[in-house]
Structures are given as C-alpha cells and as structure tokens.
Amino acid sequence: MPCRKPHRNSHHGCVQCKTRRVKCDQEQPSCARCRKKDRTCTYRHLTSSYDPFKNHNKASSTPVSSASPHATSSQRVFIKSNQTTGAFSPNGAHLTISSSNLSASSTQRSSTEGIIYPLYNELQILDSASQELLYHYDTEVSIIFTTSEVQVEVLSCLHDAVIRHSLAHPYVYHSILTVSALHLASLTTPLQTTSPVRSPHLVTALAHKASALEALRSTVMSMSGPTCEPALAASGLLTVCAFALLHAGMVSDIIDLLAQIIALYRGTVAIFRFGRQVLHTIPSGTIPRLRQSVVTATACETPWPEAEAAVDKVLAKVYELDEASKNARGKKYALINAGCKLKLALRRVAAARGVHNVACMWLAMVDSTFNESVKTREPLSLILVAHWVVTLRYVKHIWWVQGWPERTIQAVWQEAGEQYLDLMQWVFKEVRGEVRDEKDSLMAC
C-alpha cells in the first residue's frame, strides 16, 4: 500500500482552512484560499478571543522542553559564542555572526570581525532573514530598552532576560523577531494607511507572532520556575508587539486590539506573581528588580483634579445601571472597580508623567469581566478606556505608543461617544491640548 504523500503541516493556518481541513499557506492577514474565494480570513492570534494565558496550570512543576529554532532558508549564517567580551550581555555570552551573504545595510554597520549579538552561547544556524531581524533588534529596537533617555523601566528590567533566553526558548526568539519586523514595517507604513497591500515585514511579523503565542501558551499551561522568567520576557515583548501593530498598518479594529492588550498585560502580571511564589527556583534577579521598579514607580501620587472629576462623571452613570440579574451586577461591579482603579492610576501618572509602565499599569489592574465588556463594546467601559488612553499622550519617544490616544478616542466616539457626549468632554479637551493651565501646573510638580 503506497505511503501517504508527505506534506508540510500548516499548524498556524486560518480558522476557515482548518475548518475545511485544507492546506493553508498561512499568509496573513488573509491567506490565498480565502482571497480567491472572497471570504473572511480569521487567524486566532489576531482576535481578542485568543488568550494564551487562559486556564493555565500554575501548580505544575513539569518544565516544558524548548527546541532552538532551525533555519529554513538556503542562505544560512553560522552563529557561535564569543566569550572574549561581556560588556552588553549579562552573562558575558555574545554571538558572532559571520557570513559572506550579509545584506548591504548590515555590511555597512558591521565590523571586519563580524556582527556581535548578545545572544545564546552555543553553535546555531539561522536563515539570513532571521539574522537580519536579530541584527535590527540588537542595533535599533533594543536601544530603547537600555537608554536612560526613555522611561520604560519594566521593559528595561526584562531586557536582560530577553537576551539571556533569546535562542533557548522559541517563544522568546519569535517575540524578538516579531517586534523587530514590526519596527521595520512601521518605518515604511503610514499610521493612517488604508492600502490593502501589506508590508512584507508585517507578513513576517504576523507569522512570528503566531509562533510565539502558540509556544508561550503551551509553556504557561505547565508553568515552572525555570520557564517563568523566559515566559515573562516574551510576554513583555508581546505587549509591545500588540501596540506596534497600529504602526505597522495591521489594525482594522482598534477596540478588539485593546482587548488583546489588556489580556496580555493581565497575563504578564499573572506570570510575575507566579515568579514571586517560586523565586527560590529562579537564579537571576529579574523578578526582584522588576518588583522594585514597579514599587518605586507607583510610590507617589499627585492629584489630577479635572481628570478624576471626569472619571467620577462616568462612575455616576455606572451607578445608575440596572442590577436585575447576577450577570448585570457582575458587569456593574467590574465597571465600578475599573473606574476607581483608573482614578488611582491617573494620580500615579500625574506624579510620574511620561513613564511608560505607570501609564500602562491600569491595563493590568482591571479584571477579566471588564475586558469582556470592552470586547462586547459596552459603552461605559469604552469611555473609561478613552479616559485612560489620554495618559499615553505624555509618553514621548516611544514609537509603539505614538498615535494611540487619537485613534482610540476616534474608535470610542464611533462606538459610544454620541450617546455619552457629556462624558467625553475632558477627553476631547486633552487630545486637543485645551487643558493647558492644569497640565502646566502638573508638569511643574
């Protein structure tokens, strides 16, 4: 009996192709079969319903084995460790990539001794496209995590872990390539683009993002001490990637993307809390440094009267909601909880204006019921989100958050703003720059 013809499985194919049990070329955001049939093409990792942290088993102590990535291109570069210098890598391990087929852009930046990467410490073989993305991450993207000029304290704490686990765990590796490809896509894609033509860097980024999320999901399902730190590093990078999709021209539904970001933040915090429980099994100091960074950033509060008053107006409407059913009471409580925590978050932002992790901390403070309200477009939940996103206006020089306030407020207005015009007044004033007196006084604090 003849053997079945070998084929390449499309593990990350679209929902439509998987349902029909046909091969998917995995081209994103729309595969060739769906384009040919003129039907909707859906990838699970691009929808808010996909949550890599859902129902993971924190109690398991079984480590998840991680295979290093393999090259698939005919153009390959050999990577070997270089222990002669240790200025960049926390453990002194660098990668020297030597190849005769580097692109012109890489060759111009490299020295005659090859390109140095602070990654892994064993012999690896990478395809040229991955090598270029790693080079771009090292020389362009990672700078924002290491410079003192940009306030991204939490991500800076995670940077050492990203480097240390970059090629030992596939979800960290694919997260690096995702954020690198998205950065390249953002350099060539206008923020307001409506063109159906996607950047090749975006297509590459989406493929790596799918691989990172699937690998991370399998890890968090059996989290252990050894896998906690790399999972935390990958999750931090994936939150950056979710924000960066806006700049890469991949956002058709910004509210759905916000729901994804909230889920990622809540998942990251869950991993962090698990790490504190098993701290004795984690040899590095990433978790303690991360905790100290968060404690320091949130230690101070400064009143932001007009912002807090605006949130109080939203809460007044929330208190008027019906409590006829258990489900309605749960949603109302989630909104009240989110609103009260937003007021706290706004006071922290006023005391540490421009600090990225302080501005985004509210996303990790809300509960899952509130996130479900965002997914279902509950008007008052969206208006609370609009009040939060104003804080990102003060986060400067961080490419992945630029443009988010304007686009989010526009989306909220289209969904719910006309119904609650009076609740959006402060938001509009902030975005238009009309709240000057209070803003100047806060900046002077």
Side-chain angles (χ1 to χ4, degrees):
M1 185 175 180
C3 297
R4 181 181 177 185
K5 183 178 179 180
H7 68 284
R8 180 186 174 189
N9 292 326
S10 54
H11 297 290
H12 306 302
C14 71
V15 173
Q16 287 71 21
C17 287
K18 283 183 174 292
T19 301
R20 292 170 173 79
R21 300 175 70 94
V22 295
K23 182 174 174 62
C24 180
D25 64 3
Q26 303 182 50
E27 185 175 341
Q28 300 176 43
S30 182
C31 73
R33 286 185 184 273
C34 290
R35 289 199 307 272
K36 183 178 180 180
K37 299 291 185 180
D38 193 24
R39 64 190 178 211
T40 301
C41 186
T42 306
Y43 285 89
R44 290 178 62 237
H45 74 99
L46 297 179
T47 63
S48 61
S49 60
Y50 179 77
D51 184 358
F53 305 102
K54 188 175 183 180
N55 299 326
H56 68 273
N57 178 15
K58 297 181 180 181
S60 174
S61 59
T62 304
V64 177
S65 62
S66 302
S68 298
H70 297 284
T72 58
S73 170
S74 59
Q75 291 183 316
R76 300 182 300 177
V77 291
F78 291 85
I79 304 180
K80 59 183 180 181
S81 63
N82 181 352
Q83 302 288 348
T84 58
T85 60
F88 192 87
S89 175
N91 60 5
H94 287 254
L95 285 184
T96 302
I97 298 184
S98 56
S99 173
S100 60
N101 54 24
L102 295 176
S103 68
S105 59
S106 297
T107 305
Q108 291 172 359
R109 293 175 178 236
S110 63
S111 66
T112 56
E113 298 177 354
I115 305 172
I116 306 299
Y117 289 93
L119 302 168
Y120 212 44
N121 55 6
E122 294 180 6
L123 181 66
Q124 291 289 314
I125 302 175
L126 297 180
D127 61 278
S128 58
S130 298
Q131 178 267 323
E132 290 289 349
L133 289 176
L134 287 174
Y135 181 85
H136 184 74
Y137 180 87
D138 186 29
T139 59
E140 301 291 341
V141 179
S142 67
I143 292 174
I144 202 168
F145 304 138
T146 56
T147 179
S148 59
E149 298 177 3
V150 181
Q151 296 174 304
V152 287
E153 285 84 351
V154 168
L155 293 174
S156 297
C157 289
L158 290 176
H159 178 65
D160 287 354
V162 169
I163 299 304
R164 188 161 51 250
H165 301 291
S166 54
L167 294 186
H169 299 274
Y171 44 89
V172 181
Y173 168 79
H174 286 296
S175 297
I176 289 176
L177 298 191
T178 302
V179 71
S180 182
L182 286 173
H183 184 254
L184 285 169
S186 72
L187 299 177
T188 57
T189 305
L191 190 61
Q192 300 289 345
T193 184
T194 57
S195 172
V197 180
R198 303 295 181 183
S199 162
H201 296 302
L202 175 59
V203 175
T204 300
L206 292 175
H208 284 296
K209 177 174 177 278
S211 298
L213 285 170
E214 288 298 328
L216 180 61
R217 181 177 177 83
S218 66
T219 296
V220 298
M221 290 295 288
S222 56
M223 185 70 70
S224 64
T227 59
C228 179
E229 186 180 89
L232 187 63
S235 184
L237 278 184
L238 286 170
T239 59
V240 171
C241 295
F243 275 112
L245 285 172
L246 177 66
H247 291 265
M250 184 50 212
V251 178
S252 58
D253 188 341
I254 199 167
I255 292 176
D256 193 78
L257 181 57
L258 273 167
Q260 295 181 51
I261 291 172
I262 292 174
L264 283 168
Y265 265 96
R266 295 186 71 253
T268 303
V269 170
I271 295 174
F272 169 72
R273 288 173 176 167
F274 175 77
R276 292 193 62 198
Q277 295 174 5
V278 295
L279 194 59
H280 62 283
T281 66
I282 304 175
S284 74
T286 299
I287 301 293
R289 288 200 306 272
L290 190 59
R291 181 177 184 276
Q292 184 58 46
S293 174
V294 173
V295 169
T296 302
T298 59
C300 300
E301 297 178 22
T302 297
W304 193 348
E306 190 165 350
E308 294 176 61
V311 176
D312 280 333
K313 289 177 64 177
V314 182
L315 285 173
K317 288 289 185 181
V318 174
Y319 285 121
E320 297 174 2
L321 294 177
D322 182 37
E323 297 184 28
S325 66
K326 182 178 180 181
N327 186 46
R329 287 194 297 272
K331 289 183 177 180
K332 181 176 179 178
Y333 173 78
L335 287 169
I336 293 172
N337 183 53
C340 293
K341 288 181 176 178
L342 179 56
K343 291 174 64 177
L344 172 62
L346 289 170
R347 291 194 296 270
R348 289 173 173 174
V349 168
R353 194 167 292 247
V355 179
H356 175 267
N357 59 291
V358 175
C360 293
M361 201 163 292
W362 179 71
L363 299 177
M365 296 166 68
V366 300
D367 59 30
S368 59
T369 303
F370 177 81
N371 198 21
E372 288 299 321
S373 296
V374 173
K375 292 179 186 179
T376 57
R377 269 64 169 178
E378 200 287 323
L380 292 175
S381 69
L382 298 184
I383 290 174
L384 286 175
V385 168
H387 283 68
W388 160 76
V389 83
V390 167
T391 63
L392 295 185
R393 293 187 66 245
Y394 304 101
V395 179
K396 307 297 183 183
H397 313 300
I398 298 180
W399 60 276
W400 62 82
V401 300
Q402 303 307 308
W404 265 91
E406 295 78 10
R407 289 288 298 276
T408 303
I409 292 168
Q410 181 184 19
V412 171
W413 171 254
Q414 292 173 351
E415 289 283 346
E418 295 184 11
Q419 183 181 356
Y420 296 100
L421 176 61
D422 58 322
L423 301 183
M424 294 287 289
Q425 292 304 313
W426 176 78
V427 174
F428 290 144
K429 288 179 181 178
E430 274 285 333
V431 172
R432 293 168 184 162
E434 295 175 6
V435 188
R436 289 196 174 89
D437 294 338
E438 184 181 21
K439 180 166 63 179
D440 291 343
S441 64
L442 285 169
M443 293 293 285
C445 293

